[in-house]
Amino acid sequence: METVEHNELTESDLRELAADTIAGISEECRAALVRETLDNHQGRSAGQIIDLMQDIAAARHYPTAENSLR
């Protein structure tokens, strides 16, 4: 993914980031994750957005790289 400022992230950028961040996430779950991230990403760095996505995925029980190996 091309490096962009956090305030310039598009929905497409967040979809790509979600796919890279959450291993095995379904398209439906990815869409929900992107919607929730879009609502909460303003003012966050890329690293903070990744953390936010991981927190949202864990709270919603979306599969992650860590728990998909179990």
Side-chain angles (χ1 to χ4, degrees):
M1 182 168 82
E2 194 175 310
T3 303
V4 295
E5 294 295 319
H6 59 268
N7 58 353
E8 295 178 23
L9 288 174
T10 65
E11 183 172 345
S12 177
D13 295 330
L14 290 175
R15 283 186 178 280
E16 185 177 327
L17 190 57
D20 291 344
T21 301
I22 311 300
I25 191 170
S26 70
E27 182 60 35
E28 181 179 301
C29 291
R30 185 179 312 136
L33 178 61
V34 168
R35 281 192 303 273
E36 192 163 349
T37 303
L38 278 169
D39 291 341
N40 296 292
H41 86 286
Q42 295 295 350
R44 296 177 191 258
S45 69
Q48 290 170 324
I49 291 170
I50 290 170
D51 289 345
L52 174 63
M53 285 186 169
Q54 290 172 337
D55 291 346
I56 292 168
R60 305 295 181 268
H61 304 289
Y62 299 151
T64 63
E66 184 176 298
N67 66 22
S68 66
L69 297 175
R70 293 181 187 167

